[in-house]
Amino acid sequence: VEQVIEFAKGHRHGAPIIVLLKTGLRRSELLALRWSDIDLANNLLSVNMSVAETKYGVEIGPPKTKASIADIPFDNELKRLFASLPRSISGYVFPNTKDKLQSPSTWFNRTYRPFMAEMHKANPDIPILSTHELRHTFGSLVYDATKDIYITSKLMRHSDINVTAKIYVHE
């Protein structure tokens, strides 16, 4: 994780990767993130929307489940990252090149995939990871640090604690 974050700090597409690793957001939630969802004074990120691709284009709506709507605390390193990012007119933290809501597939192909390929080339010992694997990495780090399945479930925003237990508790 530290190697990926260090590489991301110097990469043109690194900021969203750091956010994913440090918050456990889903890709669709990351792209719906607005500056109004980020409380720098209290180090809280509010998850309340999600982006989806439909036959009508890119649409914004509620996240995956009711449990997905939550405030996620973040550390001072992420606070500094957010403070350093340019503010878009649209209000999205990670808009597309036209300052509009970004489609998950376009973001994946133009931002995430190139980042992972370059990160893996620079660090061959680190595999190319999916965005969902970054989410699972966050969950594993939370569980390893706390050994508390309830806290892990809350921060992962799972609707059922048994889902969290099945994924993160290995005995």
Side-chain angles (χ1 to χ4, degrees), residues 112-147:
Y112 190 79
R113 186 176 280 162
F115 172 86
M116 275 295 156
E118 292 169 36
M119 189 273 310
H120 179 66
K121 185 176 181 181
N123 301 281
D125 54 317
I126 300 174
I128 292 176
L129 304 167
S130 70
T131 56
H132 205 69
E133 286 171 316
L134 295 185
R135 178 171 160 74
H136 280 301
T137 299
F138 170 79
S140 295
L141 291 172
V142 169
Y143 184 74
D144 288 348
T146 65
K147 299 298 184 220

PDB file of all heavy atoms in Angstrom, residues 112-147:
ATOM      1  N   TYR A 112      -7.471   4.996 -14.646  1.00  0.00           N
ATOM      2  CA  TYR A 112      -7.084   3.886 -13.771  1.00  0.00           C
ATOM      3  C   TYR A 112      -6.154   2.884 -14.456  1.00  0.00           C
ATOM      4  O   TYR A 112      -5.105   2.541 -13.927  1.00  0.00           O
ATOM      5  CB  TYR A 112      -8.324   3.172 -13.233  1.00  0.00           C
ATOM      6  CG  TYR A 112      -7.978   2.181 -12.153  1.00  0.00           C
ATOM      7  CD1 TYR A 112      -7.720   2.625 -10.863  1.00  0.00           C
ATOM      8  CD2 TYR A 112      -7.861   0.825 -12.425  1.00  0.00           C
ATOM      9  CE1 TYR A 112      -7.367   1.735  -9.863  1.00  0.00           C
ATOM     10  CE2 TYR A 112      -7.513  -0.071 -11.430  1.00  0.00           C
ATOM     11  CZ  TYR A 112      -7.272   0.390 -10.150  1.00  0.00           C
ATOM     12  OH  TYR A 112      -6.910  -0.484  -9.163  1.00  0.00           O
ATOM     13  N   ARG A 113      -6.551   2.429 -15.618  1.00  0.00           N
ATOM     14  CA  ARG A 113      -5.744   1.422 -16.329  1.00  0.00           C
ATOM     15  C   ARG A 113      -4.327   1.933 -16.629  1.00  0.00           C
ATOM     16  O   ARG A 113      -3.354   1.225 -16.342  1.00  0.00           O
ATOM     17  CB  ARG A 113      -6.457   0.970 -17.598  1.00  0.00           C
ATOM     18  CG  ARG A 113      -5.738  -0.176 -18.283  1.00  0.00           C
ATOM     19  CD  ARG A 113      -6.503  -0.665 -19.483  1.00  0.00           C
ATOM     20  NE  ARG A 113      -7.571  -1.538 -19.020  1.00  0.00           N
ATOM     21  CZ  ARG A 113      -8.623  -1.877 -19.734  1.00  0.00           C
ATOM     22  NH1 ARG A 113      -8.782  -1.403 -20.950  1.00  0.00           N
ATOM     23  NH2 ARG A 113      -9.531  -2.687 -19.252  1.00  0.00           N
ATOM     24  N   PRO A 114      -4.162   3.162 -17.176  1.00  0.00           N
ATOM     25  CA  PRO A 114      -2.795   3.660 -17.400  1.00  0.00           C
ATOM     26  C   PRO A 114      -1.990   3.788 -16.102  1.00  0.00           C
ATOM     27  O   PRO A 114      -0.804   3.466 -16.065  1.00  0.00           O
ATOM     28  CB  PRO A 114      -3.004   5.031 -18.052  1.00  0.00           C
ATOM     29  CG  PRO A 114      -4.356   4.958 -18.658  1.00  0.00           C
ATOM     30  CD  PRO A 114      -5.161   4.059 -17.773  1.00  0.00           C
ATOM     31  N   PHE A 115      -2.660   4.239 -15.028  1.00  0.00           N
ATOM     32  CA  PHE A 115      -1.953   4.329 -13.749  1.00  0.00           C
ATOM     33  C   PHE A 115      -1.439   2.964 -13.329  1.00  0.00           C
ATOM     34  O   PHE A 115      -0.267   2.808 -12.968  1.00  0.00           O
ATOM     35  CB  PHE A 115      -2.853   4.911 -12.646  1.00  0.00           C
ATOM     36  CG  PHE A 115      -2.206   4.821 -11.303  1.00  0.00           C
ATOM     37  CD1 PHE A 115      -1.345   5.816 -10.865  1.00  0.00           C
ATOM     38  CD2 PHE A 115      -2.407   3.713 -10.478  1.00  0.00           C
ATOM     39  CE1 PHE A 115      -0.698   5.715  -9.637  1.00  0.00           C
ATOM     40  CE2 PHE A 115      -1.768   3.602  -9.250  1.00  0.00           C
ATOM     41  CZ  PHE A 115      -0.912   4.604  -8.830  1.00  0.00           C
ATOM     42  N   MET A 116      -2.308   1.961 -13.325  1.00  0.00           N
ATOM     43  CA  MET A 116      -1.911   0.627 -12.871  1.00  0.00           C
ATOM     44  C   MET A 116      -0.799   0.037 -13.740  1.00  0.00           C
ATOM     45  O   MET A 116       0.131  -0.595 -13.219  1.00  0.00           O
ATOM     46  CB  MET A 116      -3.112  -0.323 -12.837  1.00  0.00           C
ATOM     47  CG  MET A 116      -3.912  -0.235 -11.572  1.00  0.00           C
ATOM     48  SD  MET A 116      -2.936  -0.790 -10.159  1.00  0.00           S
ATOM     49  CE  MET A 116      -3.764   0.064  -8.846  1.00  0.00           C
ATOM     50  N   ALA A 117      -0.883   0.241 -15.042  1.00  0.00           N
ATOM     51  CA  ALA A 117       0.161  -0.281 -15.934  1.00  0.00           C
ATOM     52  C   ALA A 117       1.515   0.363 -15.623  1.00  0.00           C
ATOM     53  O   ALA A 117       2.535  -0.328 -15.530  1.00  0.00           O
ATOM     54  CB  ALA A 117      -0.227  -0.037 -17.392  1.00  0.00           C
ATOM     55  N   GLU A 118       1.515   1.680 -15.430  1.00  0.00           N
ATOM     56  CA  GLU A 118       2.762   2.385 -15.132  1.00  0.00           C
ATOM     57  C   GLU A 118       3.277   2.048 -13.729  1.00  0.00           C
ATOM     58  O   GLU A 118       4.484   1.923 -13.522  1.00  0.00           O
ATOM     59  CB  GLU A 118       2.562   3.893 -15.301  1.00  0.00           C
ATOM     60  CG  GLU A 118       2.337   4.280 -16.754  1.00  0.00           C
ATOM     61  CD  GLU A 118       1.877   5.724 -16.938  1.00  0.00           C
ATOM     62  OE1 GLU A 118       2.340   6.600 -16.175  1.00  0.00           O
ATOM     63  OE2 GLU A 118       1.060   5.969 -17.843  1.00  0.00           O
ATOM     64  N   MET A 119       2.360   1.888 -12.783  1.00  0.00           N
ATOM     65  CA  MET A 119       2.754   1.530 -11.423  1.00  0.00           C
ATOM     66  C   MET A 119       3.385   0.133 -11.411  1.00  0.00           C
ATOM     67  O   MET A 119       4.421  -0.082 -10.801  1.00  0.00           O
ATOM     68  CB  MET A 119       1.543   1.591 -10.495  1.00  0.00           C
ATOM     69  CG  MET A 119       1.855   1.454  -9.011  1.00  0.00           C
ATOM     70  SD  MET A 119       1.924  -0.243  -8.374  1.00  0.00           S
ATOM     71  CE  MET A 119       0.418  -0.942  -8.966  1.00  0.00           C
ATOM     72  N   HIS A 120       2.766  -0.799 -12.141  1.00  0.00           N
ATOM     73  CA  HIS A 120       3.292  -2.168 -12.200  1.00  0.00           C
ATOM     74  C   HIS A 120       4.651  -2.213 -12.915  1.00  0.00           C
ATOM     75  O   HIS A 120       5.546  -2.949 -12.510  1.00  0.00           O
ATOM     76  CB  HIS A 120       2.286  -3.083 -12.893  1.00  0.00           C
ATOM     77  CG  HIS A 120       2.748  -4.500 -13.019  1.00  0.00           C
ATOM     78  ND1 HIS A 120       2.950  -5.315 -11.919  1.00  0.00           N
ATOM     79  CD2 HIS A 120       3.070  -5.246 -14.091  1.00  0.00           C
ATOM     80  CE1 HIS A 120       3.365  -6.491 -12.331  1.00  0.00           C
ATOM     81  NE2 HIS A 120       3.457  -6.483 -13.646  1.00  0.00           N
ATOM     82  N   LYS A 121       4.803  -1.404 -13.940  1.00  0.00           N
ATOM     83  CA  LYS A 121       6.085  -1.355 -14.658  1.00  0.00           C
ATOM     84  C   LYS A 121       7.187  -0.833 -13.734  1.00  0.00           C
ATOM     85  O   LYS A 121       8.307  -1.348 -13.738  1.00  0.00           O
ATOM     86  CB  LYS A 121       5.962  -0.469 -15.893  1.00  0.00           C
ATOM     87  CG  LYS A 121       7.195  -0.467 -16.760  1.00  0.00           C
ATOM     88  CD  LYS A 121       6.984   0.338 -18.022  1.00  0.00           C
ATOM     89  CE  LYS A 121       8.247   0.296 -18.881  1.00  0.00           C
ATOM     90  NZ  LYS A 121       8.097   1.080 -20.105  1.00  0.00           N
ATOM     91  N   ALA A 122       6.871   0.164 -12.932  1.00  0.00           N
ATOM     92  CA  ALA A 122       7.851   0.725 -12.003  1.00  0.00           C
ATOM     93  C   ALA A 122       8.068  -0.156 -10.776  1.00  0.00           C
ATOM     94  O   ALA A 122       9.132  -0.119 -10.156  1.00  0.00           O
ATOM     95  CB  ALA A 122       7.405   2.121 -11.552  1.00  0.00           C
ATOM     96  N   ASN A 123       7.053  -0.953 -10.436  1.00  0.00           N
ATOM     97  CA  ASN A 123       7.105  -1.838  -9.259  1.00  0.00           C
ATOM     98  C   ASN A 123       6.593  -3.215  -9.659  1.00  0.00           C
ATOM     99  O   ASN A 123       5.461  -3.577  -9.323  1.00  0.00           O
ATOM    100  CB  ASN A 123       6.230  -1.275  -8.129  1.00  0.00           C
ATOM    101  CG  ASN A 123       6.640   0.109  -7.695  1.00  0.00           C
ATOM    102  OD1 ASN A 123       7.585   0.272  -6.957  1.00  0.00           O
ATOM    103  ND2 ASN A 123       5.916   1.112  -8.177  1.00  0.00           N
ATOM    104  N   PRO A 124       7.392  -4.007 -10.373  1.00  0.00           N
ATOM    105  CA  PRO A 124       6.923  -5.289 -10.895  1.00  0.00           C
ATOM    106  C   PRO A 124       6.430  -6.268  -9.830  1.00  0.00           C
ATOM    107  O   PRO A 124       5.648  -7.166 -10.129  1.00  0.00           O
ATOM    108  CB  PRO A 124       8.137  -5.869 -11.620  1.00  0.00           C
ATOM    109  CG  PRO A 124       9.086  -4.748 -11.788  1.00  0.00           C
ATOM    110  CD  PRO A 124       8.763  -3.725 -10.758  1.00  0.00           C
ATOM    111  N   ASP A 125       6.867  -6.074  -8.587  1.00  0.00           N
ATOM    112  CA  ASP A 125       6.430  -6.955  -7.512  1.00  0.00           C
ATOM    113  C   ASP A 125       4.983  -6.678  -7.078  1.00  0.00           C
ATOM    114  O   ASP A 125       4.370  -7.489  -6.391  1.00  0.00           O
ATOM    115  CB  ASP A 125       7.360  -6.826  -6.299  1.00  0.00           C
ATOM    116  CG  ASP A 125       7.523  -5.390  -5.830  1.00  0.00           C
ATOM    117  OD1 ASP A 125       7.685  -4.498  -6.689  1.00  0.00           O
ATOM    118  OD2 ASP A 125       7.503  -5.154  -4.601  1.00  0.00           O
ATOM    119  N   ILE A 126       4.435  -5.547  -7.502  1.00  0.00           N
ATOM    120  CA  ILE A 126       3.049  -5.213  -7.168  1.00  0.00           C
ATOM    121  C   ILE A 126       2.175  -5.551  -8.372  1.00  0.00           C
ATOM    122  O   ILE A 126       2.386  -5.027  -9.463  1.00  0.00           O
ATOM    123  CB  ILE A 126       2.896  -3.719  -6.818  1.00  0.00           C
ATOM    124  CG1 ILE A 126       3.782  -3.367  -5.616  1.00  0.00           C
ATOM    125  CG2 ILE A 126       1.433  -3.392  -6.498  1.00  0.00           C
ATOM    126  CD1 ILE A 126       3.810  -1.896  -5.294  1.00  0.00           C
ATOM    127  N   PRO A 127       1.192  -6.420  -8.182  1.00  0.00           N
ATOM    128  CA  PRO A 127       0.333  -6.794  -9.314  1.00  0.00           C
ATOM    129  C   PRO A 127      -0.595  -5.652  -9.726  1.00  0.00           C
ATOM    130  O   PRO A 127      -0.834  -4.719  -8.959  1.00  0.00           O
ATOM    131  CB  PRO A 127      -0.478  -7.975  -8.766  1.00  0.00           C
ATOM    132  CG  PRO A 127      -0.504  -7.765  -7.296  1.00  0.00           C
ATOM    133  CD  PRO A 127       0.805  -7.096  -6.941  1.00  0.00           C
ATOM    134  N   ILE A 128      -1.103  -5.743 -10.931  1.00  0.00           N
ATOM    135  CA  ILE A 128      -2.126  -4.805 -11.387  1.00  0.00           C
ATOM    136  C   ILE A 128      -3.402  -5.176 -10.640  1.00  0.00           C
ATOM    137  O   ILE A 128      -3.859  -6.315 -10.683  1.00  0.00           O
ATOM    138  CB  ILE A 128      -2.306  -4.877 -12.906  1.00  0.00           C
ATOM    139  CG1 ILE A 128      -1.036  -4.338 -13.583  1.00  0.00           C
ATOM    140  CG2 ILE A 128      -3.547  -4.116 -13.349  1.00  0.00           C
ATOM    141  CD1 ILE A 128      -1.022  -4.439 -15.086  1.00  0.00           C
ATOM    142  N   LEU A 129      -3.939  -4.216  -9.934  1.00  0.00           N
ATOM    143  CA  LEU A 129      -5.102  -4.443  -9.078  1.00  0.00           C
ATOM    144  C   LEU A 129      -6.365  -3.830  -9.678  1.00  0.00           C
ATOM    145  O   LEU A 129      -6.295  -2.802 -10.351  1.00  0.00           O
ATOM    146  CB  LEU A 129      -4.853  -3.827  -7.698  1.00  0.00           C
ATOM    147  CG  LEU A 129      -3.594  -4.312  -6.967  1.00  0.00           C
ATOM    148  CD1 LEU A 129      -3.289  -3.406  -5.788  1.00  0.00           C
ATOM    149  CD2 LEU A 129      -3.767  -5.747  -6.539  1.00  0.00           C
ATOM    150  N   SER A 130      -7.493  -4.445  -9.400  1.00  0.00           N
ATOM    151  CA  SER A 130      -8.775  -3.858  -9.809  1.00  0.00           C
ATOM    152  C   SER A 130      -9.177  -2.795  -8.786  1.00  0.00           C
ATOM    153  O   SER A 130      -8.650  -2.772  -7.660  1.00  0.00           O
ATOM    154  CB  SER A 130      -9.859  -4.939  -9.877  1.00  0.00           C
ATOM    155  OG  SER A 130     -10.193  -5.379  -8.572  1.00  0.00           O
ATOM    156  N   THR A 131     -10.108  -1.941  -9.146  1.00  0.00           N
ATOM    157  CA  THR A 131     -10.584  -0.940  -8.183  1.00  0.00           C
ATOM    158  C   THR A 131     -11.223  -1.630  -6.983  1.00  0.00           C
ATOM    159  O   THR A 131     -11.113  -1.153  -5.856  1.00  0.00           O
ATOM    160  CB  THR A 131     -11.583   0.034  -8.830  1.00  0.00           C
ATOM    161  OG1 THR A 131     -12.663  -0.698  -9.405  1.00  0.00           O
ATOM    162  CG2 THR A 131     -10.920   0.881  -9.898  1.00  0.00           C
ATOM    163  N   HIS A 132     -11.860  -2.754  -7.216  1.00  0.00           N
ATOM    164  CA  HIS A 132     -12.484  -3.485  -6.107  1.00  0.00           C
ATOM    165  C   HIS A 132     -11.418  -4.073  -5.172  1.00  0.00           C
ATOM    166  O   HIS A 132     -11.622  -4.142  -3.956  1.00  0.00           O
ATOM    167  CB  HIS A 132     -13.420  -4.573  -6.632  1.00  0.00           C
ATOM    168  CG  HIS A 132     -14.487  -4.921  -5.657  1.00  0.00           C
ATOM    169  ND1 HIS A 132     -15.511  -4.039  -5.335  1.00  0.00           N
ATOM    170  CD2 HIS A 132     -14.683  -6.022  -4.905  1.00  0.00           C
ATOM    171  CE1 HIS A 132     -16.295  -4.602  -4.429  1.00  0.00           C
ATOM    172  NE2 HIS A 132     -15.811  -5.804  -4.146  1.00  0.00           N
ATOM    173  N   GLU A 133     -10.271  -4.442  -5.727  1.00  0.00           N
ATOM    174  CA  GLU A 133      -9.184  -4.922  -4.877  1.00  0.00           C
ATOM    175  C   GLU A 133      -8.623  -3.795  -4.005  1.00  0.00           C
ATOM    176  O   GLU A 133      -8.212  -4.038  -2.870  1.00  0.00           O
ATOM    177  CB  GLU A 133      -8.074  -5.551  -5.723  1.00  0.00           C
ATOM    178  CG  GLU A 133      -8.471  -6.910  -6.269  1.00  0.00           C
ATOM    179  CD  GLU A 133      -7.499  -7.469  -7.278  1.00  0.00           C
ATOM    180  OE1 GLU A 133      -7.038  -6.721  -8.170  1.00  0.00           O
ATOM    181  OE2 GLU A 133      -7.192  -8.674  -7.170  1.00  0.00           O
ATOM    182  N   LEU A 134      -8.656  -2.558  -4.494  1.00  0.00           N
ATOM    183  CA  LEU A 134      -8.243  -1.429  -3.659  1.00  0.00           C
ATOM    184  C   LEU A 134      -9.226  -1.266  -2.499  1.00  0.00           C
ATOM    185  O   LEU A 134      -8.834  -0.990  -1.366  1.00  0.00           O
ATOM    186  CB  LEU A 134      -8.164  -0.132  -4.469  1.00  0.00           C
ATOM    187  CG  LEU A 134      -7.110  -0.069  -5.569  1.00  0.00           C
ATOM    188  CD1 LEU A 134      -7.078   1.325  -6.180  1.00  0.00           C
ATOM    189  CD2 LEU A 134      -5.743  -0.483  -5.090  1.00  0.00           C
ATOM    190  N   ARG A 135     -10.517  -1.451  -2.786  1.00  0.00           N
ATOM    191  CA  ARG A 135     -11.551  -1.381  -1.741  1.00  0.00           C
ATOM    192  C   ARG A 135     -11.311  -2.479  -0.704  1.00  0.00           C
ATOM    193  O   ARG A 135     -11.363  -2.229   0.507  1.00  0.00           O
ATOM    194  CB  ARG A 135     -12.926  -1.507  -2.386  1.00  0.00           C
ATOM    195  CG  ARG A 135     -14.085  -1.500  -1.422  1.00  0.00           C
ATOM    196  CD  ARG A 135     -15.412  -1.397  -2.190  1.00  0.00           C
ATOM    197  NE  ARG A 135     -16.527  -1.841  -1.396  1.00  0.00           N
ATOM    198  CZ  ARG A 135     -17.077  -1.168  -0.386  1.00  0.00           C
ATOM    199  NH1 ARG A 135     -16.580   0.018  -0.054  1.00  0.00           N
ATOM    200  NH2 ARG A 135     -18.104  -1.639   0.283  1.00  0.00           N
ATOM    201  N   HIS A 136     -11.030  -3.686  -1.170  1.00  0.00           N
ATOM    202  CA  HIS A 136     -10.763  -4.790  -0.246  1.00  0.00           C
ATOM    203  C   HIS A 136      -9.481  -4.542   0.551  1.00  0.00           C
ATOM    204  O   HIS A 136      -9.400  -4.923   1.723  1.00  0.00           O
ATOM    205  CB  HIS A 136     -10.680  -6.119  -0.985  1.00  0.00           C
ATOM    206  CG  HIS A 136     -12.010  -6.697  -1.304  1.00  0.00           C
ATOM    207  ND1 HIS A 136     -12.945  -7.006  -0.339  1.00  0.00           N
ATOM    208  CD2 HIS A 136     -12.583  -7.018  -2.474  1.00  0.00           C
ATOM    209  CE1 HIS A 136     -14.030  -7.491  -0.909  1.00  0.00           C
ATOM    210  NE2 HIS A 136     -13.840  -7.507  -2.216  1.00  0.00           N
ATOM    211  N   THR A 137      -8.508  -3.920  -0.058  1.00  0.00           N
ATOM    212  CA  THR A 137      -7.278  -3.590   0.656  1.00  0.00           C
ATOM    213  C   THR A 137      -7.586  -2.652   1.811  1.00  0.00           C
ATOM    214  O   THR A 137      -7.107  -2.848   2.939  1.00  0.00           O
ATOM    215  CB  THR A 137      -6.241  -2.966  -0.297  1.00  0.00           C
ATOM    216  OG1 THR A 137      -5.925  -3.921  -1.312  1.00  0.00           O
ATOM    217  CG2 THR A 137      -4.985  -2.536   0.436  1.00  0.00           C
ATOM    218  N   PHE A 138      -8.405  -1.639   1.557  1.00  0.00           N
ATOM    219  CA  PHE A 138      -8.833  -0.724   2.616  1.00  0.00           C
ATOM    220  C   PHE A 138      -9.502  -1.506   3.743  1.00  0.00           C
ATOM    221  O   PHE A 138      -9.172  -1.331   4.916  1.00  0.00           O
ATOM    222  CB  PHE A 138      -9.786   0.337   2.046  1.00  0.00           C
ATOM    223  CG  PHE A 138     -10.456   1.170   3.104  1.00  0.00           C
ATOM    224  CD1 PHE A 138      -9.784   2.217   3.714  1.00  0.00           C
ATOM    225  CD2 PHE A 138     -11.764   0.903   3.486  1.00  0.00           C
ATOM    226  CE1 PHE A 138     -10.404   2.987   4.701  1.00  0.00           C
ATOM    227  CE2 PHE A 138     -12.389   1.666   4.467  1.00  0.00           C
ATOM    228  CZ  PHE A 138     -11.711   2.710   5.073  1.00  0.00           C
ATOM    229  N   GLY A 139     -10.434  -2.384   3.400  1.00  0.00           N
ATOM    230  CA  GLY A 139     -11.132  -3.175   4.411  1.00  0.00           C
ATOM    231  C   GLY A 139     -10.183  -4.053   5.210  1.00  0.00           C
ATOM    232  O   GLY A 139     -10.312  -4.159   6.439  1.00  0.00           O
ATOM    233  N   SER A 140      -9.226  -4.658   4.534  1.00  0.00           N
ATOM    234  CA  SER A 140      -8.245  -5.500   5.226  1.00  0.00           C
ATOM    235  C   SER A 140      -7.396  -4.676   6.183  1.00  0.00           C
ATOM    236  O   SER A 140      -7.097  -5.123   7.306  1.00  0.00           O
ATOM    237  CB  SER A 140      -7.342  -6.201   4.211  1.00  0.00           C
ATOM    238  OG  SER A 140      -8.085  -7.094   3.422  1.00  0.00           O
ATOM    239  N   LEU A 141      -6.994  -3.493   5.755  1.00  0.00           N
ATOM    240  CA  LEU A 141      -6.190  -2.634   6.618  1.00  0.00           C
ATOM    241  C   LEU A 141      -6.982  -2.204   7.856  1.00  0.00           C
ATOM    242  O   LEU A 141      -6.446  -2.176   8.966  1.00  0.00           O
ATOM    243  CB  LEU A 141      -5.691  -1.407   5.853  1.00  0.00           C
ATOM    244  CG  LEU A 141      -4.658  -1.683   4.771  1.00  0.00           C
ATOM    245  CD1 LEU A 141      -4.385  -0.425   3.948  1.00  0.00           C
ATOM    246  CD2 LEU A 141      -3.382  -2.239   5.363  1.00  0.00           C
ATOM    247  N   VAL A 142      -8.248  -1.874   7.659  1.00  0.00           N
ATOM    248  CA  VAL A 142      -9.099  -1.490   8.799  1.00  0.00           C
ATOM    249  C   VAL A 142      -9.222  -2.661   9.767  1.00  0.00           C
ATOM    250  O   VAL A 142      -9.033  -2.512  10.975  1.00  0.00           O
ATOM    251  CB  VAL A 142     -10.497  -1.012   8.332  1.00  0.00           C
ATOM    252  CG1 VAL A 142     -11.453  -0.867   9.518  1.00  0.00           C
ATOM    253  CG2 VAL A 142     -10.388   0.302   7.565  1.00  0.00           C
ATOM    254  N   TYR A 143      -9.522  -3.845   9.227  1.00  0.00           N
ATOM    255  CA  TYR A 143      -9.692  -5.001  10.112  1.00  0.00           C
ATOM    256  C   TYR A 143      -8.383  -5.367  10.819  1.00  0.00           C
ATOM    257  O   TYR A 143      -8.376  -5.646  12.013  1.00  0.00           O
ATOM    258  CB  TYR A 143     -10.245  -6.217   9.361  1.00  0.00           C
ATOM    259  CG  TYR A 143     -10.511  -7.355  10.301  1.00  0.00           C
ATOM    260  CD1 TYR A 143     -11.602  -7.312  11.164  1.00  0.00           C
ATOM    261  CD2 TYR A 143      -9.649  -8.443  10.370  1.00  0.00           C
ATOM    262  CE1 TYR A 143     -11.825  -8.332  12.079  1.00  0.00           C
ATOM    263  CE2 TYR A 143      -9.866  -9.466  11.277  1.00  0.00           C
ATOM    264  CZ  TYR A 143     -10.953  -9.405  12.129  1.00  0.00           C
ATOM    265  OH  TYR A 143     -11.170 -10.409  13.032  1.00  0.00           O
ATOM    266  N   ASP A 144      -7.277  -5.340  10.091  1.00  0.00           N
ATOM    267  CA  ASP A 144      -5.983  -5.657  10.702  1.00  0.00           C
ATOM    268  C   ASP A 144      -5.636  -4.672  11.819  1.00  0.00           C
ATOM    269  O   ASP A 144      -5.058  -5.058  12.831  1.00  0.00           O
ATOM    270  CB  ASP A 144      -4.862  -5.655   9.658  1.00  0.00           C
ATOM    271  CG  ASP A 144      -4.931  -6.848   8.715  1.00  0.00           C
ATOM    272  OD1 ASP A 144      -5.693  -7.803   8.987  1.00  0.00           O
ATOM    273  OD2 ASP A 144      -4.226  -6.808   7.690  1.00  0.00           O
ATOM    274  N   ALA A 145      -5.998  -3.400  11.634  1.00  0.00           N
ATOM    275  CA  ALA A 145      -5.675  -2.377  12.633  1.00  0.00           C
ATOM    276  C   ALA A 145      -6.593  -2.444  13.852  1.00  0.00           C
ATOM    277  O   ALA A 145      -6.161  -2.159  14.967  1.00  0.00           O
ATOM    278  CB  ALA A 145      -5.752  -0.988  11.999  1.00  0.00           C
ATOM    279  N   THR A 146      -7.848  -2.811  13.637  1.00  0.00           N
ATOM    280  CA  THR A 146      -8.824  -2.754  14.728  1.00  0.00           C
ATOM    281  C   THR A 146      -9.212  -4.115  15.295  1.00  0.00           C
ATOM    282  O   THR A 146      -9.644  -4.192  16.439  1.00  0.00           O
ATOM    283  CB  THR A 146     -10.121  -2.074  14.254  1.00  0.00           C
ATOM    284  OG1 THR A 146     -10.727  -2.890  13.237  1.00  0.00           O
ATOM    285  CG2 THR A 146      -9.864  -0.668  13.736  1.00  0.00           C
ATOM    286  N   LYS A 147      -9.125  -5.158  14.470  1.00  0.00           N
ATOM    287  CA  LYS A 147      -9.635  -6.496  14.814  1.00  0.00           C
ATOM    288  C   LYS A 147     -11.119  -6.413  15.212  1.00  0.00           C
ATOM    289  O   LYS A 147     -11.615  -7.238  15.961  1.00  0.00           O
ATOM    290  CB  LYS A 147      -8.829  -7.151  15.943  1.00  0.00           C
ATOM    291  CG  LYS A 147      -7.382  -7.357  15.613  1.00  0.00           C
ATOM    292  CD  LYS A 147      -7.184  -8.278  14.432  1.00  0.00           C
ATOM    293  CE  LYS A 147      -5.714  -8.547  14.200  1.00  0.00           C
ATOM    294  NZ  LYS A 147      -5.357  -8.555  12.808  1.00  0.00           N
TER     295      LYS A 147
END
